[in-house]
Amino acid sequence: MKSYLVTYDLIDGGDYDSLFEEIKEIASGHWHCLESVWIINSNLTASQINTRLLKTLDSNDRILVTQIHGPNTSWSRTFSDECRDWLKKNLHPVES
């Protein structure tokens, strides 16, 4: 299972509900503790995830899907315990 960062800009309001439902369908686990950012676990490739999510977007919306992992991951202490615990469990980072 790989972890991916998914971030997006939905222009002119966009259809957040459809995007969020597709993200949840793709993911075996997810983290959504920043407004326009999800981290998901999936067996799909970044390209496959992007292709599926693009179907929920308008032509002027933007999305970025990139694989993330391991010891080069860090975050602030201001996240909730739930958010930090998910990151620790799924990304094995160095917390700062």
Side-chain angles (χ1 to χ4, degrees):
M1 186 82 41
K2 297 176 184 171
S3 295
Y4 296 94
L5 181 123
V6 178
T7 186
Y8 48 86
D9 287 329
L10 302 189
I11 310 304
D12 300 326
D15 185 355
Y16 288 93
D17 290 338
S18 293
L19 175 61
F20 293 175
E21 287 305 312
E22 189 66 22
I23 289 172
K24 291 175 187 177
E25 188 173 311
I26 290 168
S28 64
H30 66 274
W31 181 93
H32 183 54
C33 298
L34 292 170
E35 190 169 324
S36 295
V37 175
W38 291 67
I39 298 174
I40 64 171
N41 295 329
S42 179
N43 287 320
L44 299 176
T45 67
S47 180
Q48 290 169 324
I49 293 167
N50 188 56
T51 297
R52 287 197 45 187
L53 297 180
L54 282 172
K55 294 176 184 178
T56 70
L57 303 180
D58 294 333
S59 61
N60 60 340
D61 294 336
R62 295 179 290 255
I63 193 161
L64 170 69
V65 179
T66 187
Q67 186 178 346
I68 58 173
H69 63 281
N72 295 320
T73 305
S74 183
W75 58 80
S76 69
R77 291 187 175 130
T78 55
F79 285 113
S80 70
D81 289 344
E82 179 182 5
C83 290
R84 284 194 319 269
D85 289 346
W86 192 94
L87 292 169
K88 287 177 189 177
K89 179 180 176 188
N90 290 277
L91 300 182
H92 313 289
V94 177
E95 188 173 1
S96 59

